[in-house]
Amino acid sequence: MSLDWIYYAISWILLTWHSAWDAIKVPVGSVLGTNWAWILAIIFLVVTVRVILFPVFVKQIKSQRAMQALQPKVKELQEKHKGDRETLQKEMMELYRKEKANPLMGCLPMFLQIPVFLGLFHVLRRLDPAKSNKTLYGWTVDQFDSASSAKIFTAPIAGKFGSTADELARLGANGTTVKVIAGILVLVMMGTTYLTSRQMILKTGWAEDPQQRMVQRLMLYGIPLSLLISGAIFPIGVIIYWVTNNLFTLGQQQWVLRKFPPLVTNQKPGSTAARNPVQPAKTGGFLNRAKPAAQVPAKPAAPKVAGPKPGAKPTNPKKGRPAKRQG
């Protein structure tokens, strides 16, 4: 199956944003050795994609809430069918179908962004001045030449940590500069990827289902560590896209988790979060900040009557009243 339609779509969004920033005279290379029109084009490619995928993200959150609500039932099934994996899987699938919960929905936004990432990776990898067909995917020769010479802190966005000497020579880049900038961005990419997964797990808790918990651990540790190796083949422009996407995700998750807090918290035994359950979302005020609770006036306490002192004569409440006359 040809992916040209993805390459054309990514190129169109990228070139449209670049033309917009170029039209308002965003600095090309005079500020910190960076072509800001192309950097902002990559950043707003992320914004465009995330706005399009926002409804899917909302469905992801609702699906995660549904999965959380089903955790007690899942645990019951695990106890009931312990040792019978086939029956357990069948019962769990029936439970998900009945409750209209989809375990795969939690990964759907990430899966939908993979074609965008691959498309940008392919487009930026083509930014080689030695290429003969510079007008592929709707580019003009001037746009191609401008992008192939675009830099961030003097490192070309088409360069990568593992660029060969020939590739660096064609891009007119310094090998040490490219490795330093790419290396720093790869570390930032790993850190922000870890934080996005950690943020969600801390808020929603560890899953009871062993398979789901394994997926959570893979997302938390496996993917960030894999970027240490794969990041060497990513063009710097692609790493900028990934970091921007992670930052967008952190902000979006924080907003959604404050507005729609988790229903339950299933944490590892002995963990801090297990001892401190998730608090309900704050409502009211600017950006959902809590307003001070209205003070309820306390009822006045009844006056205390002092008891008689030891040895004192009892008081006669009828003293002072007129005596009844004898008839």
Side-chain angles (χ1 to χ4, degrees):
M1 179 180 176
S2 175
L3 296 178
D4 283 357
W5 67 274
I6 294 178
Y7 306 147
Y8 274 102
I10 297 301
S11 295
W12 183 83
I13 297 173
L14 199 62
L15 294 174
T16 299
W17 278 114
H18 173 262
S19 299
W21 297 115
D22 199 39
I24 61 176
K25 306 299 181 184
V26 170
V28 174
S30 57
V31 180
L32 300 176
T34 301
N35 188 316
W36 292 106
W38 282 109
I39 302 303
L40 288 172
I42 294 174
I43 291 173
F44 276 80
L45 169 64
V46 176
V47 175
T48 302
V49 172
R50 295 308 295 264
V51 168
I52 294 172
L53 293 180
F54 185 76
V56 180
F57 182 80
V58 173
K59 288 184 178 180
Q60 175 198 26
I61 295 297
K62 290 181 178 179
S63 176
Q64 289 174 338
R65 296 295 182 269
M67 294 297 294
Q68 283 182 294
L70 291 178
Q71 288 305 308
K73 294 183 179 180
V74 170
K75 194 170 183 179
E76 289 178 7
L77 289 176
Q78 289 172 344
E79 293 293 332
K80 182 179 178 181
H81 301 291
K82 188 180 295 184
D84 190 351
R85 191 173 188 82
E86 183 178 351
T87 304
L88 174 61
Q89 290 297 327
K90 188 182 297 184
E91 291 287 338
M92 287 180 61
M93 292 303 295
E94 178 63 23
L95 176 65
Y96 293 152
R97 185 195 63 79
K98 182 180 178 182
E99 300 294 337
K100 297 180 180 180
N102 187 353
L104 299 179
M105 182 60 71
C107 301
L108 185 59
M110 183 184 68
F111 287 147
L112 292 178
Q113 290 181 75
I114 290 176
V116 179
F117 172 80
L118 294 176
L120 183 63
F121 178 84
H122 177 81
V123 168
L124 293 185
R125 193 175 57 174
R126 289 192 64 258
L127 296 179
D128 187 339
K131 293 283 185 182
S132 56
N133 188 3
K134 298 182 179 181
T135 58
L136 193 61
Y137 309 134
W139 292 64
T140 66
V141 174
D142 289 341
Q143 288 171 333
F144 186 94
D145 291 338
S146 174
S148 61
S149 62
K151 294 179 173 60
I152 177 171
F153 305 125
T154 71
I157 62 174
K160 50 186 180 291
F161 189 89
S163 292
T164 64
D166 290 341
E167 290 172 341
L168 293 171
R170 290 196 297 271
L171 293 171
N174 179 278
T176 302
T177 301
V178 170
K179 281 183 168 54
V180 170
I181 298 299
I184 292 173
L185 287 174
V186 166
L187 293 177
V188 174
M189 177 174 63
M190 292 173 61
T192 52
T193 300
Y194 170 80
L195 289 176
T196 55
S197 298
R198 182 174 180 270
Q199 180 191 49
M200 183 60 71
I201 292 174
L202 287 180
K203 290 288 184 178
T204 61
W206 288 92
E208 291 287 344
D209 181 30
Q211 291 184 343
Q212 292 183 32
R213 181 170 293 191
M214 183 175 66
V215 171
Q216 286 179 321
R217 285 175 176 160
L218 176 63
M219 297 287 291
L220 185 62
Y221 302 112
I223 293 180
L225 288 176
S226 69
L227 295 176
L228 185 62
I229 299 174
S230 58
I233 65 173
F234 292 164
I236 288 176
V238 172
I239 302 176
I240 294 172
Y241 171 89
W242 192 304
V243 171
T244 305
N245 188 62
N246 285 344
L247 295 176
F248 198 102
T249 300
L250 284 169
Q252 188 171 258
Q253 285 183 170
Q254 183 65 23
W255 177 80
V256 171
L257 290 169
R258 283 174 64 88
K259 194 171 183 64
F260 306 104
L263 300 176
V264 293
T265 302
N266 299 317
Q267 298 288 346
K268 291 180 178 180
S271 65
T272 304
R275 294 189 297 268
N276 299 304
V278 177
Q279 299 297 325
K282 299 177 181 179
T283 56
F286 183 65
L287 292 179
N288 289 331
R289 293 189 178 181
K291 292 181 179 180
Q295 297 293 328
V296 180
K299 294 182 179 180
K304 295 182 179 180
V305 179
K309 295 181 179 180
K313 294 182 179 181
T315 59
N316 185 2
K318 296 183 180 181
K319 187 177 182 179
R321 292 184 182 179
K324 290 183 180 181
R325 294 183 180 181
Q326 301 291 329

